[in-house]
Amino acid sequence: TGTVLSGSIKPHMQVEITGTGITKKVKTLQMFKKPVQEAIQGDRVAMCVPALDAGDLERGLLSDGRQPTPTWDGALVVLKRIPYFQMEVKTKAKYHLTVGHST
């Protein structure tokens, strides 16, 4: 399950797992446990992608592969801890960082 950040997704479209070069075909889509024929920007959608083990994806991006998805190996950031994050922010810890959209 994920959120469509831009564009749309439909059954039978080819998607690329960003950074891996792996391309697969989407079999079906569901929103709130109901089948749908299209999901657009902002929609939360579950995709059935045969021969793709969800355990192989911790977090990731799927794209249509028409344009390369920018990636980088490192970044220097200044961040502000949000009030409801109760854990201590430690040096050299690993966190998931989202850039370019809000959740």
Side-chain angles (χ1 to χ4, degrees):
T1 301
T3 303
V4 179
L5 299 179
S6 66
S8 65
I9 184 80
K10 296 178 181 180
H12 312 295
M13 284 182 71
Q14 292 281 99
V15 293
E16 179 182 316
I17 302 167
T18 302
T20 67
I22 297 171
T23 302
K24 300 285 183 179
K25 186 184 270 191
V26 175
K27 183 176 179 183
T28 59
L29 299 173
Q30 285 188 354
M31 282 195 284
F32 303 105
K33 298 184 180 183
K34 300 207 187 298
V36 294
Q37 292 304 309
E38 182 179 28
I40 60 172
Q41 183 175 358
D43 286 344
R44 296 267 308 152
V45 63
M47 294 186 294
C48 175
V49 182
L52 178 64
D53 184 2
D56 292 341
L57 295 174
E58 181 180 340
R59 282 186 179 256
L61 291 174
L62 299 178
S63 72
D64 61 10
R66 290 184 282 184
Q67 295 180 341
T69 303
T71 60
W72 61 90
D73 293 322
L76 179 61
V77 299
V78 176
L79 61 94
K80 180 178 167 186
R81 184 174 58 88
I82 53 178
Y84 58 85
F85 185 78
Q86 301 297 318
M87 297 171 53
E88 181 183 357
V89 178
K90 297 180 180 181
T91 301
K92 296 187 180 182
K94 293 183 180 181
Y95 299 93
H96 174 77
L97 177 67
T98 302
V99 178
H101 70 282
S102 60
T103 56

